[in-house]
Amino acid sequence: MIFQPNDWPHPHVTPRSEQERDRLLTVVPDRLVFVFGSNLAGRHMGGAARDAVDYFEAEMGKGYGWHGRSYAIPTMDVGLRTLPLHFIAGHVDRFLVAAMAEPDFTFYVTAVGTGIAGLTHEQMAPFFVGAPSNVLLPVEWLPLLSAQATTTEGARP
């Protein structure tokens, strides 16, 4: 974990690298959007989804899209089964369009899909190839993304 000063402007966001910490220090707190994996039923009961409700104005019953200072990307269906990858890819595409349309916001993406949905970083990271510069991705994804970009020029898995 990266050291955070006592007056850290984002008390519920932990920087995942020194570079990310420096970048987050420039982000006005109400311009930070917490991006998390969800289920289509909008039952945000644990992990990053619970944090989204508790600290970033995510709404119970809303399983996708922008709510308050959060953005839900569904990785599970209403029965809490993992969604097919092509379905998740469509939701990631919608998120990336939203992020591109809002350059004054910074989107802090959690390791969407790699918790209860049971997907791997290798499965999820390629969906985010070409993410705009206002999207902060998990450090585990960065080497996967640079490898993906150089070998496939951003092809969809």
Side-chain angles (χ1 to χ4, degrees):
M1 180 164 114
I2 306 300
F3 171 75
Q4 297 176 27
N6 290 337
D7 60 347
W8 178 247
H10 309 287
H12 304 290
V13 172
T14 302
R16 299 167 287 199
S17 69
E18 294 288 331
Q19 179 182 13
E20 186 173 89
R21 184 201 62 206
D22 294 345
R23 173 94 179 275
L24 284 168
L25 284 170
T26 69
V27 176
V28 176
D30 66 353
R31 293 289 181 169
L32 182 72
V33 178
F34 187 79
V35 181
F36 65 101
S38 67
N39 59 75
L40 288 172
R43 292 191 303 254
H44 311 308
M45 302 308 288
R50 185 76 231 177
D51 288 345
V53 170
D54 290 346
Y55 308 116
F56 297 97
E57 304 163 10
E59 296 179 34
M60 289 289 191
K62 295 186 178 180
Y64 61 91
W66 198 336
H67 310 109
R69 294 180 301 118
S70 67
Y71 192 103
I73 297 176
T75 57
M76 301 180 79
D77 66 16
V78 295
L80 304 183
R81 293 175 298 270
T82 303
L83 291 167
L85 291 177
H86 71 277
F87 192 86
I88 296 169
H91 279 281
V92 171
D93 286 344
R94 284 188 272 294
F95 160 69
L96 293 175
V97 167
M100 284 185 248
E102 298 290 349
D104 293 337
F105 285 87
T106 299
F107 296 85
Y108 179 91
V109 178
T110 62
V112 173
T114 63
I116 194 169
L119 300 169
T120 66
H121 296 294
E122 291 78 11
Q123 288 173 300
M124 290 303 301
F127 296 140
F128 292 84
V129 167
S133 62
N134 62 332
V135 173
L136 301 178
L137 297 170
V139 293
E140 299 89 349
W141 294 4
L142 301 180
L144 300 168
L145 288 170
S146 65
Q148 179 80 16
T150 58
T151 60
T152 65
E153 296 303 308
R156 233 341 140 210

